[in-house]
Amino acid sequence: MSGGLVIAGLGPGDDALVTPEVSAALERATDVIGYIPYVARVADRPGLVKHASDNRVEIDRAQLALSLAAEGARVVVVSSGDPGVFAMASAVFEAVEAGPVAWRALDIRVLPGITAMLAAAARVGAPLGHDFCAINLSDNLKPWAVIDRRLRLALEADFAIALYNPRSAARPEGFARTLELLREACKPERVMIFARAVSTPEEDLRVVALGEAAPGMADMRTVVLIGSSATRIIARDGTPLVYTPRSVPV
Amino acid sequence: MSGGLVIAGLGPGDDALVTPEVSAALERATDVIGYIPYVARVADRPGLVKHASDNRVEIDRAQLALSLAAEGARVVVVSSGDPGVFAMASAVFEAVEAGPVAWRALDIRVLPGITAMLAAAARVGAPLGHDFCAINLSDNLKPWAVIDRRLRLALEADFAIALYNPRSAARPEGFARTLELLREACKPERVMIFARAVSTPEEDLRVVALGEAAPGMADMRTVVLIGSSATRIIARDGTPLVYTPRSVPV
């Protein structure tokens, strides 16, 4: 069996959300590469080498994966969620484009996974049940002005919005600015969902009105969903149901 | 065991993309409800009643599911892809909100699935690797003016864009209009992906430049992805790799 590179999504945390396709790829792997907590999710077994690395070294990790695959290893790069949504797949393709031409001939496959916004949405109902967008709130790799502009246009389009990487200790101010922007553009009743560590033992879900939202409700393990103007709440005992109707009235 | 309602995503077609959580729910079900081809994907077994219905009767289907669950059945409503993305979950919650108060107390759970845009993206690389949006191009439930406005704002925000339900026999003109709008706003090199029936035996993938795109390339089994202005193609033998870089230069 010749080498190759699989970029696999492990979903948000619960093994019951890992697709059989991903599980099978992990069983065939000789090498697993990724951020420490994701690599830790893969069971040890004889013949499997685990290469765990710290955050923010995506390109190093991608180059290692491609080098090993080129030497004949069966490499799986693991991401949480879906590897194509603010995760490792783009980093690998950046490395392919910048790397030796031989890397383009490798057998490279991306295996999708359950991305955080869809796992979070499912937990509370169907807040992304109509047109929506996903924005990475980290300004490590793009200027804040781009994020600001996209947020404003997304609100003008009345999309439901999923915010990835909303707030870290190193850059707490972006999410605070986002809340200010939302308060300028939306009514205080606008529905927000703070979904932390969905499907893990640390899961924490909050459905709040924009008027009650506070910056400290989000961290790097949180995905934040913002309803469109049409998003509705169905009150009941416990966490309410939240959904966005399929119809937009004429 | 008391009754309840699960709204489950079967993914795009391949059983290797069905999560173990969804498979387990189907094994426990007394009743499976959904559109004919999705219900057909669930294996027959003693004790399981399959209720298959035609398209465009989502609310009838949701009411049947809720009525059965209220009577104590273990009901699974099946959607393709993810049930919260242009699928059955919103229809069920619309029925809950409009129905008897007792329905709010039911055990209702949404189980996420691999939605078409993420399966399609994975097949060609990582075209949704940066900020993106998803728009349902069907104007059955919303005026075309809303779609047109959202498309224009999405292009202005420079999102990658996924178009669901791009074109049906009954409304072929919407996608033709969309291509015209794209041609006004984007260069002819803008990358497009037509991904039909991903992960099924009928899968058909095309990566084309906007200048070469034609309305007939899409139908109701196609999801169309439109790159952002930054989306790149890596040429190689066979289908090229397509990805959107993680960075936006200052």
Side-chain angles (χ1 to χ4, degrees):
Chain A
M1 194 168 172
S2 64
L5 176 55
V6 166
I7 310 159
L10 296 179
D14 184 343
D15 286 345
L17 292 172
V18 179
T19 67
E21 181 180 67
V22 167
S23 297
L26 289 170
E27 283 165 21
R28 285 190 305 265
T30 58
D31 297 81
V32 169
I33 296 177
Y35 178 41
I36 299 162
Y38 309 148
V39 169
R41 287 186 53 194
V42 180
D44 290 308
R45 63 173 161 76
L48 177 67
V49 181
K50 290 160 81 170
H51 310 259
S53 50
D54 204 350
N55 215 344
R56 296 215 196 182
V57 293
E58 287 83 0
I59 287 295
D60 298 348
R61 200 183 285 154
Q63 288 169 341
L64 171 64
L66 288 157
S67 300
L68 288 170
E71 290 163 13
R74 293 188 299 279
V75 181
V76 177
V77 171
V78 288
S79 273
S80 79
D82 183 286
V85 178
F86 311 126
M88 276 300 296
S90 282
V92 170
F93 294 116
E94 285 169 34
V96 169
E97 191 173 18
V101 174
W103 283 357
R104 301 182 183 209
L106 287 172
D107 178 17
I108 304 177
R109 286 184 303 139
V110 179
L111 306 187
I114 303 293
T115 185
M117 66 178 166
L118 298 184
R123 277 290 198 265
V124 297
L128 305 178
H130 206 310
D131 303 333
F132 66 94
C133 67
I135 298 177
N136 187 345
L137 221 60
S138 166
D139 57 357
N140 288 337
L141 295 171
K142 63 183 165 187
W144 182 263
V146 170
I147 300 174
D148 181 82
R149 179 175 164 75
R150 286 182 177 167
L151 285 168
R152 289 177 194 278
L153 290 163
L155 290 168
E156 197 180 335
D158 204 15
F159 285 126
I161 302 173
L163 301 176
Y164 281 73
N165 303 319
R167 185 166 176 270
S168 75
R171 41 170 194 77
E173 68 290 343
F175 185 62
R177 276 188 228 158
T178 301
L179 284 178
E180 282 168 30
L181 191 159
L182 289 170
R183 287 182 176 125
E184 285 165 26
C186 309
K187 294 184 181 164
E189 296 78 27
R190 181 66 63 107
V191 184
M192 295 187 70
I193 297 141
F194 291 83
R196 184 171 191 276
V198 169
S199 88
T200 77
E202 297 84 43
E203 176 172 305
D204 184 36
L205 294 171
R206 294 197 217 191
V207 177
V208 301
L210 170 59
E212 301 152 11
M217 292 179 182
D219 66 9
M220 281 304 274
R221 295 190 71 193
T222 309
V223 64
V224 179
L225 307 182
I226 305 159
S228 77
S229 68
T231 300
R232 300 182 62 76
I233 286 199
I234 307 176
R236 57 169 192 168
D237 289 343
T239 305
L241 297 168
V242 185
Y243 79 99
T244 304
R246 301 163 302 149
S247 303
V248 176
V250 179
Chain B
M1 193 167 171
S2 64
L5 176 55
V6 166
I7 311 161
L10 296 178
D14 185 344
D15 285 345
L17 293 171
V18 179
T19 67
E21 180 179 67
V22 167
S23 297
L26 289 170
E27 283 165 20
R28 285 191 303 267
T30 57
D31 296 83
V32 169
I33 296 179
Y35 178 41
I36 299 163
Y38 309 148
V39 170
R41 288 185 53 195
V42 180
D44 289 308
R45 63 173 162 76
L48 177 67
V49 182
K50 291 161 80 170
H51 309 259
S53 51
D54 204 350
N55 215 341
R56 298 216 195 179
V57 291
E58 287 84 0
I59 287 294
D60 297 348
R61 202 184 282 154
Q63 289 170 339
L64 172 64
L66 288 157
S67 299
L68 289 170
E71 291 164 12
R74 294 190 298 278
V75 181
V76 178
V77 171
V78 289
S79 272
S80 79
D82 182 284
V85 179
F86 312 126
M88 276 301 295
S90 282
V92 170
F93 294 115
E94 285 168 34
V96 169
E97 191 173 18
V101 173
W103 283 358
R104 299 182 184 207
L106 288 172
D107 178 18
I108 304 178
R109 287 184 304 140
V110 179
L111 305 186
I114 303 292
T115 185
M117 67 178 167
L118 297 183
R123 277 289 199 266
V124 297
L128 305 179
H130 206 308
D131 303 331
F132 65 94
C133 67
I135 298 176
N136 186 346
L137 220 59
S138 167
D139 59 356
N140 288 335
L141 295 171
K142 63 183 164 185
W144 182 263
V146 170
I147 300 173
D148 180 84
R149 179 175 164 76
R150 287 183 175 166
L151 285 168
R152 289 176 194 276
L153 291 164
L155 290 167
E156 197 180 335
D158 204 16
F159 286 125
I161 302 172
L163 301 176
Y164 281 73
N165 304 318
R167 186 165 175 270
S168 74
R171 40 168 195 81
E173 69 290 341
F175 186 62
R177 276 188 228 157
T178 301
L179 283 178
E180 281 168 30
L181 190 161
L182 289 169
R183 286 181 176 127
E184 285 165 25
C186 310
K187 293 184 182 165
E189 296 78 28
R190 181 65 65 106
V191 183
M192 294 186 71
I193 297 141
F194 292 83
R196 185 172 189 277
V198 169
S199 88
T200 77
E202 297 84 43
E203 174 173 306
D204 185 37
L205 294 172
R206 296 196 215 190
V207 177
V208 301
L210 171 59
E212 300 153 13
M217 292 179 182
D219 66 11
M220 281 303 275
R221 295 191 70 192
T222 309
V223 63
V224 178
L225 306 181
I226 304 159
S228 77
S229 67
T231 300
R232 301 184 59 79
I233 286 199
I234 307 176
R236 59 170 191 168
D237 289 342
T239 306
L241 296 168
V242 185
Y243 79 99
T244 305
R246 300 163 304 147
S247 303
V248 176
V250 180

